Amino acid sequence: MTDTPRPPEGYEFSADPARVDAGRVHRWLSTDAYWALGRTRDQQDRAIAGSLNFGVYETVSGEQVAYARVVTDRATFAWLCDVYVDPSVRGKGIGTALVAAVREHLRPTGLRRVLLATHDAHEVYGKLGFRPLERPDQWMALFFE
């Protein structure tokens, strides 16, 4: 796509899992992300190990400012999750650029669908092609208490 948002000047996208600052990601998610509050470091480390991981980094310092991960079979299905932008850089388009870059990273795999769940960012994801499920009544979830 030619209209794929890019990170603003001074920031870069990376799909290199070695660049992920696992401690920072755990701190962000376990203390500030409504969907992951209280997540243990062990859980987060296992989630990172079992996923594709993406980040946005300050170009000069290399400091990570945003994160997303994708759980996928790399053939038919993917789940985009744990999308997080550090509060100090929100409002600059970094989150939109991150999700767009993830989308483009996944595009060549031939996936049929990429799902996500959001409580409050429907407009952001909608700009990038995500839309509500046409038949949500066909989907179910198993919850372990």
Side-chain angles (χ1 to χ4, degrees), residues 1-25:
M1 289 182 105
T2 57
D3 62 342
T4 298
R6 298 221 177 274
E9 188 173 332
Y11 299 93
E12 62 186 352
F13 168 81
S14 177
D16 180 357
R19 291 189 71 182
V20 173
D21 182 338
R24 176 175 289 218
V25 169

Side-chain angles (χ1 to χ4, degrees), residues 35-141:
W35 65 91
L37 293 175
R39 185 181 291 173
T40 69
R41 176 65 190 263
D42 177 64
Q43 287 173 316
Q44 187 61 50
D45 288 346
R46 286 185 289 130
I48 288 170
S51 303
L52 299 177
N53 296 274
F54 305 92
V56 175
Y57 303 85
E58 288 184 353
T59 307
V60 175
S61 70
E63 181 179 350
Q64 187 168 1
V65 298
Y67 175 75
R69 70 184 180 93
V70 173
V71 181
T72 182
D73 62 9
R74 301 176 194 220
T76 62
F77 176 83
W79 176 265
L80 173 63
C81 53
D82 289 346
V83 178
Y84 187 90
V85 177
D86 187 275
S88 68
V89 297
R90 289 182 186 164
K92 296 182 177 185
I94 289 172
T96 300
L98 171 61
V99 174
V102 170
R103 178 192 63 197
E104 295 312 307
H105 183 88
L106 295 174
R107 189 181 297 279
T109 65
L111 295 169
R112 277 188 55 138
R113 67 181 53 91
V114 177
L115 293 181
L116 65 82
T118 183
H119 176 73
D120 57 0
H122 294 81
E123 282 188 37
V124 172
Y125 294 109
K127 291 188 294 190
L128 296 168
F130 287 86
R131 61 182 189 259
L133 293 173
E134 290 179 21
R135 297 290 313 267
D137 58 309
Q138 293 180 354
W139 293 85
M140 296 181 73

